[in-house]
Amino acid sequence: MDLCKERKFINLNSKIHINEKDGKVVSLADKNNNVWVVKKKISEGSFGEIYLYNSCNSEYVDIVIKYFKGDDEEVILDMKQESEIVELFNKYKCHNFVRSGVKELINQRKIIILERVDADLVDFDFSIYPKPLEIYSQIIDFIYSGSKCAYKKEKLFLDMKPENIGYKLCNNGVKFTFLDLGSFFDINEDEVTATYHINLEKSGDFSNDVMFVYSAVMTFLVIRLSIISRNKSNKFIDYFLDEIASEKKYSGRKGLLPKKNYQRILKKFKQYLDTKEKFIDYLFKTLEELTQRKPFIGDFLNGLNDNNNY
């Protein structure tokens, strides 16, 4: 079933007929002759392209297919890593993870097949909900539960940002899920992808646990601001990227957040939203602790759950 538990997802464990042309899938059909037909390209990044495929049977959800571009070593490693992650989470189910699977084309390139979601949190309109903080609470709950499930498998979602959290509108409400499953890495992985680096010039100095906690906190702050104003949220992101993360001079303890930068983030956020919310206080308490010591992931995740009182 799909995230909404309203329609079926293509059974990738059964025999699938794939009709290809020039290295792209034109259509797919399962053993019961349910068919999915290519509609259009919906996004493109440095390593891949994503295409939409419409289901010809209303009982089944539409799907998207991710293709990996290029033949250099980095792309091949990315394809291998993301394929392994998808297969891992298919084996060990985590609640509200997008349905997905891996298939191989004639040219032996692997593709990732996923359930289609409506969009990511960058496009989420909180204003249509009478109680937007209840939606925020649901996002917190998903990130907490999804991250805890992955952590039990010794994985961390290290490219946490609104663009990588998707949503799907269901008959009984909205469901959230992680996008870009290739952003899950082993806890001690050396080569990782992350957007919310504490400092871009010294990205290699930070452990994965520090980057995970930092990026999660920044993501929660950005989403909280987007509830009151998309413009303020974007300004907060720009300030962080342009004024803090890009600085070449770095005065913090090795591998930790400088106290000065914690204070700057706090001041800028309060400039846009001066609130005494328990959850926001917990986020800034966590940032302050990142100036002193490395975090314990389990404690951080439990704190998200304990302080989510919206």
Side-chain angles (χ1 to χ4, degrees):
M1 299 298 288
D2 67 341
L3 284 174
C4 296
K5 294 182 171 56
E6 295 167 0
R7 293 196 286 169
K8 300 174 185 176
F9 180 64
I10 182 173
N11 183 4
L12 296 174
N13 293 322
S14 66
K15 186 175 181 180
I16 301 294
H17 174 73
I18 299 178
N19 179 23
E20 298 181 40
K21 183 178 180 181
D22 299 328
K24 292 287 191 301
V25 176
V26 177
S27 63
L28 305 89
D30 66 12
K31 65 179 183 179
N32 296 319
N33 292 322
N34 295 302
V35 177
W36 287 259
V37 178
V38 65
K39 177 69 174 178
K40 60 181 178 180
K41 181 194 292 187
I42 56 177
S43 68
E44 183 172 0
S46 56
F47 291 144
E49 303 172 319
I50 297 180
Y51 284 75
L52 169 65
Y53 292 76
N54 286 347
S55 171
C56 297
N57 183 341
S58 61
E59 294 182 2
Y60 285 79
V61 293
D62 295 338
I63 59 176
V64 297
I65 294 181
K66 179 176 180 179
Y67 297 89
F68 296 89
K69 294 191 305 181
D71 296 307
D72 57 81
E73 184 179 359
E74 191 173 2
V75 173
I76 300 302
L77 289 175
D78 186 57
M79 178 172 63
K80 180 176 182 293
Q81 187 262 345
E82 186 162 349
S83 298
E84 290 174 352
I85 288 293
V86 168
E87 290 170 345
L88 172 72
F89 287 122
N90 272 336
K91 183 177 180 181
Y92 300 104
K93 299 293 186 183
C94 290
H95 181 61
N96 273 13
F97 271 41
V98 66
R99 304 301 186 267
S100 59
V102 180
K103 288 294 179 183
E104 193 170 277
L105 301 181
I106 294 173
N107 60 11
Q108 296 185 319
R109 298 288 294 228
K110 290 185 178 180
I111 56 174
I112 309 296
I113 301 175
L114 307 104
E115 167 190 350
R116 182 194 185 186
V117 298
D118 289 308
D120 59 50
L121 284 183
V122 172
D123 299 316
F124 192 81
D125 186 1
F126 285 94
S127 67
I128 67 175
Y129 294 91
K131 296 180 179 179
L133 287 180
E134 289 186 359
I135 303 298
Y136 187 53
S137 178
Q138 292 174 32
I139 296 170
I140 297 168
D141 182 64
F142 165 70
I143 293 177
Y144 154 73
S145 61
S147 298
K148 191 163 188 176
C149 182
Y151 184 57
K152 290 178 180 178
K153 313 298 184 293
E154 299 186 338
K155 304 292 181 183
L156 293 174
F157 193 76
L158 290 177
D159 199 13
M160 187 85 72
K161 56 184 177 179
E163 294 92 327
N164 278 344
I165 302 170
Y167 70 88
K168 191 165 186 177
L169 302 176
C170 307
N171 291 332
N172 62 345
V174 59
K175 301 290 185 183
F176 299 97
T177 188
F178 289 122
L179 304 177
D180 189 16
L181 297 179
S183 292
F184 279 103
F185 293 91
D186 291 340
I187 292 173
N188 297 315
E189 178 73 38
D190 291 329
E191 298 293 330
V192 303
T193 301
T195 297
Y196 287 130
H197 278 300
I198 292 178
N199 182 279
L200 298 176
E201 292 291 326
K202 297 182 177 294
S203 60
D205 288 351
F206 304 107
S207 62
N208 290 347
D209 49 1
V210 170
M211 286 200 298
F212 170 75
V213 170
Y214 185 72
S215 63
V217 169
M218 294 301 296
T219 298
F220 284 125
L221 293 176
V222 167
I223 295 171
R224 180 64 185 89
L225 286 178
S226 71
I227 294 175
I228 61 169
S229 168
R230 187 72 59 84
N231 183 50
K232 290 179 178 179
S233 178
N234 289 336
K235 285 183 176 180
F236 181 72
I237 295 173
D238 291 341
Y239 174 77
F240 161 74
L241 292 175
D242 297 338
E243 302 294 330
I244 297 180
S246 298
E247 289 180 337
K248 294 185 179 180
K249 186 177 180 181
Y250 189 82
S251 58
R253 301 180 189 179
K254 183 175 176 62
L256 297 176
L257 176 69
K259 188 171 183 179
K260 179 186 73 171
N261 286 357
Y262 151 70
Q263 293 170 338
R264 293 164 73 188
I265 294 169
L266 173 63
K267 182 179 179 181
K268 179 60 67 172
F269 184 87
K270 294 292 185 181
Q271 176 184 329
Y272 296 133
L273 179 62
D274 192 1
T275 179
K276 293 295 183 182
E277 296 165 26
K278 179 181 178 183
F279 185 74
I280 299 301
D281 288 345
Y282 172 69
L283 295 180
F284 280 111
K285 177 177 178 289
T286 299
L287 277 188
E288 186 175 20
E289 289 175 349
L290 280 185
T291 69
Q292 303 163 5
R293 57 184 175 273
K294 290 184 178 181
F296 295 100
I297 300 297
D299 291 346
F300 168 67
L301 293 175
N302 289 335
L304 293 179
N305 186 53
D306 294 343
N307 290 278
N308 181 9
N309 66 334
Y310 291 103

